[in-house]
Amino acid sequence: MLQPIGPVSPTSSFRNAMSRVGASVHIITSAGPAGRVGFTASAVSSVTDSPPMLLVCVNRSASSHGPIIANGVLCVNTLSDEQEALSRRFSEKISFDKRFDCAQWGTLITGSPVLDHALASMDCKIVNAIAYGTHSVILAEVLEMRYREDQSRGLIYFDRCYHAVGKA
Ligand SMILES: Cc1cc2nc3c(=O)[nH]c(=O)nc-3n(C[C@H](O)[C@H](O)[C@H](O)COP(=O)(O)O)c2cc1C
């Protein structure tokens, strides 16, 4: 049944409505002069394929926000269903060392951490960041990428829970 907007706040209604929109789960990482940082994100979208370009929305109060902008680079690591614990770890208020300690990482061209066994990793330079409300909308050009061609299942966040998608 459709829920009309009731007497609750627009923010609360928007969050409830967005809980019905399933999205892939990613770990956004960055490394450079401002340090090594990373957090869990679902607000990631393809913008164009030529040049390959992604959009990532980052809360400006997140501890990763300043370093990502200052480093000017980021890597979008898309998680498989076996990496749910990593998603939880990277959304906790714990140190970056504790977040990174529970997985293996490599690097591609920008030096940002690239997660071993991610479904896809897209290593990017930031070309623009637009502050809007609580978030920055970051446009990032993909310089190098790597992806799995096996039958690994994806990880979706839907209805405030994690779900596996793909062939069992
Ligand atoms: C499934 C999921 C998706 C999220 N997506 C985003 C996102 O797209 N952008 C964002 O800024 N934070 C997102 N968050 C919140 C951050 O992962 C995290 O809570 C926040 O960065 C922690 O802030 P801190 O690093 O300051 O402790 C998401 C959290 C979860 C669990």
Side-chain angles (χ1 to χ4, degrees):
M1 197 172 81
L2 283 177
Q3 288 296 327
I5 294 179
V8 289
S9 74
T11 302
S12 159
S13 293
F14 181 69
R15 288 184 180 183
N16 288 340
M18 286 305 295
S19 75
R20 313 308 300 166
V21 180
S24 292
V25 183
H26 318 266
I27 305 291
I28 311 298
T29 60
S30 179
R36 182 182 65 159
V37 298
F39 73 102
T40 301
S42 57
V44 173
S45 175
S46 160
V47 179
T48 65
D49 62 6
S50 156
M53 183 85 69
L54 295 173
L55 169 162
V56 181
C57 297
V58 186
N59 195 312
R60 288 193 287 139
S61 70
S63 52
S64 296
H65 179 270
I68 288 174
I69 300 290
N71 289 337
V73 293
L74 60 80
C75 184
V76 175
N77 298 280
T78 304
L79 301 185
S80 75
D81 70 320
E82 291 169 353
Q83 294 167 324
E84 179 183 327
L86 205 55
S87 172
R88 294 182 188 281
R89 181 62 71 100
F90 273 77
S91 57
E92 277 179 56
K93 291 227 165 272
I94 54 173
S95 72
F96 291 119
D97 282 346
K98 281 198 177 132
R99 296 183 199 188
F100 281 101
D101 274 356
C102 57
Q104 303 294 314
W105 307 87
T107 53
L108 292 171
I109 192 168
T110 76
S112 298
V114 174
L115 174 63
D116 280 5
H117 311 301
L119 282 188
S121 293
M122 301 199 220
D123 200 23
C124 307
K125 73 168 179 189
I126 295 172
V127 295
N128 204 353
I130 303 150
Y132 195 85
T134 51
H135 281 59
S136 283
V137 180
I138 296 177
L139 285 170
E141 185 175 342
V142 182
L143 301 182
E144 198 172 354
M145 63 200 106
R146 167 175 111 174
Y147 55 92
R148 287 173 68 165
E149 294 187 276
D150 59 16
Q151 293 292 305
S152 302
R153 304 182 82 199
L155 183 67
I156 298 290
Y157 200 68
F158 171 72
D159 207 13
R160 300 187 171 99
C161 296
Y162 292 96
H163 304 269
V165 288
K167 286 182 192 149

